[in-house]
């Protein structure tokens, strides 16, 4: 009967696929927490067109905001840099910021920003101007605000792309399901015909 055929299809096709997907998801959850894998994933994430900009902007905003608070509290620039380095969630950004601190030629904040290779030239200029004018906290807070705005813009673009891709995915899956159902019905009807 049709119900038996349908239940066999579910048991023999859909159930193994569901088990494989769930097992893969659980395994992936553990593998992506391994530090070497995490660093590779974070580095790759920064090169993804829409989401890379979002993660970089969020990481930089978090770093700059923490650096601003620490510097404003009277902590020395190098110590504040070291402490702020651990705040971004992207380990590739953290690694670049830490490497900048180890450079012996980098003494001030603008030098460390230049050595890190993650700041844009305008960012470095803004920090250097703040250092010369004695307004480092203002420069850092302004730069953190710029990166927060960049993150908000990237999030908006990301939402648009996610929704568009989800709609496209639903259309494709619906088409595959319709084709599968049509083939199943056609097979059953051909068996019933004399």
């Amino acid at each position: 009967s049709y119900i038996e055929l349908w239940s066999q299809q579910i048991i023999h096709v859909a159930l193994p696929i569901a088990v494989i997907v769930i097992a893969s998801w659980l395994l992936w959850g553990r593998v992506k927490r391994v530090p070497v894998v995490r660093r590779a994933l974070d580095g790759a994430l920064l090169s993804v067109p829409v989401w890379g900009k979002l993660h970089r902007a969020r990481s930089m905003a978090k770093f700059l905001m923490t650096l601003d608070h620490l510097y404003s509290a009277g902590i020395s620039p190098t110590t504040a840099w070291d402490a702020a380095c651990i705040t971004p969630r992207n380990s590739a950004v953290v690694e670049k910021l830490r490497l900048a601190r180890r450079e012996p030629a980098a003494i001030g904040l603008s030098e460390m920003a230049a050595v890190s290779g993650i700041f844009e030239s305008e960012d470095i200029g803004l920090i250097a101007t703040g250092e010369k004018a004695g307004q480092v906290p203002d420069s850092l807070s302004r730069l953190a605000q710029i990166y927060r705005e960049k993150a908000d813009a990237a999030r908006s673009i990301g939402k648009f792309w996610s929704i568009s891709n989800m709609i496209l995915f639903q259309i494709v899956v619906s088409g595959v399901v319709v084709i599968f159902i049509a083939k199943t019905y056609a097979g059953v009807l051909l068996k019933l015909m004399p």
Side-chain angles (χ1 to χ4, degrees):
S1 92
Y2 177 72
I3 295 175
E4 290 175 4
L5 178 67
W6 185 255
S7 63
Q8 286 177 356
Q9 288 287 334
I10 289 175
I11 290 172
H12 293 297
V13 176
L15 189 61
I17 291 173
V19 169
I20 289 170
V21 167
I22 291 170
S24 299
W25 186 261
L26 293 173
L27 180 65
W28 175 249
R30 293 194 183 260
V31 168
K32 72 178 183 178
R33 290 190 182 114
V34 176
V36 173
V37 175
R38 185 82 230 155
R39 278 193 297 275
L41 289 173
D42 283 346
L45 179 62
L46 291 177
S47 63
V48 173
V50 175
W51 302 112
K53 290 180 181 179
L54 173 63
H55 283 273
R56 181 181 177 278
R58 278 183 180 169
S59 296
M60 295 302 292
K62 181 98 171 163
F63 168 74
L64 289 164
M65 187 174 60
T66 306
L67 184 62
D68 175 33
H69 291 313
L70 293 171
Y71 190 87
S72 297
I75 297 174
S76 71
T78 53
T79 306
W81 185 281
D82 287 339
C85 279
I86 61 173
T87 57
R89 293 186 68 185
N90 189 298
S91 59
V93 172
V94 169
E95 191 62 30
K96 287 182 179 184
L97 292 170
R98 282 185 178 166
L99 289 175
R101 174 64 176 93
R102 295 182 189 140
E103 185 68 35
I107 300 168
L109 291 178
S110 60
E111 289 91 3
M112 287 186 279
V115 169
S116 71
I118 198 163
F119 286 89
E120 296 172 9
S121 59
E122 297 86 21
D123 303 340
I124 298 166
L126 185 62
I127 294 170
T129 302
E131 284 178 326
K132 289 176 185 171
Q135 299 294 321
V136 174
D138 291 338
S139 297
L140 293 175
S141 65
R142 191 173 320 131
L143 202 51
Q145 180 61 33
I146 289 169
Y147 275 103
R148 277 193 297 270
E149 290 169 1
K150 286 181 181 181
D152 290 342
R155 185 177 22 255
S156 297
I157 293 170
K159 283 181 183 179
F160 171 75
W161 281 105
S162 296
I163 291 169
S164 299
N165 288 333
M166 182 57 96
I167 290 170
L168 179 63
F169 177 74
Q170 288 176 345
I171 290 170
V172 169
V173 168
S174 299
V176 170
V177 168
V178 167
I179 291 170
F180 177 74
I181 290 172
K183 284 178 76 175
T184 304
Y185 277 124
V188 170
L189 290 175
L190 288 175
K191 287 180 184 176
L192 293 176
M193 293 178 120

